[in-house]
Amino acid sequence: MTALGLLAGSLLLGSCGGSKDAFTQSGGASYYADKFNGRKTASGTTYRPNKLTAAHNTLPFGTVVRVTNPRNKRSVKVTVTDRGPHAKGRVIDLSRKAARKIDIVDAGVAPVRLKVVRAAKR
């Protein structure tokens, strides 16, 4: 193998480097309507608008995600307790409290960035 090939290979491995690359995602966020208060979520817990919870289509229940509003740099940590959103372009549905913390309640739908900060316990 040439020196250039070895260098390229080590750079590729270094970028993966066995590090725990956190899951990140960007897209739209919305929040639960008040009519869902008290209803069971897909995880079996009860939805409460005053808790810091969220719905995501693929992340395991119990995963903690930092959701950041890139427009104002505010962020909030939420726990995935439900499945959704079920609308194209949206990546997460937030509880009302979480949506308020990052100031997206008036927008209805707003761009966000997600980063897993703690994987679900197995």
Side-chain angles (χ1 to χ4, degrees):
M1 184 173 267
T2 68
L4 183 57
L6 285 172
L7 178 62
S10 67
L11 287 174
L12 286 174
L13 290 174
S15 66
C16 310
S19 67
K20 294 183 178 181
D21 292 327
F23 172 88
T24 59
Q25 187 176 30
S26 295
S30 54
Y31 63 95
Y32 284 85
D34 290 337
K35 70 179 183 179
F36 294 107
N37 185 18
R39 292 192 189 177
K40 290 287 183 193
T41 64
S43 69
T45 62
T46 301
Y47 170 68
R48 299 284 182 226
N50 62 336
K51 300 292 182 186
L52 295 175
T53 60
H56 190 276
N57 279 317
T58 59
L59 291 172
F61 298 135
T63 301
V64 177
V65 181
R66 176 178 286 114
V67 182
T68 303
N69 178 343
R71 292 178 177 163
N72 61 18
K73 307 294 188 250
R74 291 184 184 179
S75 67
V76 64
K77 289 180 186 175
V78 295
T79 302
V80 176
T81 61
D82 203 5
R83 290 291 171 233
H86 304 292
K88 188 176 180 176
R90 295 190 199 166
V91 295
I92 199 163
D93 279 336
L94 300 171
S95 65
R96 181 175 285 279
K97 182 175 183 176
R100 224 181 7 255
K101 284 196 174 275
I102 63 170
D103 197 25
I104 68 165
V105 172
D106 290 338
V109 178
V112 294
R113 287 188 313 267
L114 311 180
K115 181 176 182 179
V116 170
V117 294
R118 189 172 71 231
K121 295 177 185 172
R122 293 183 179 209

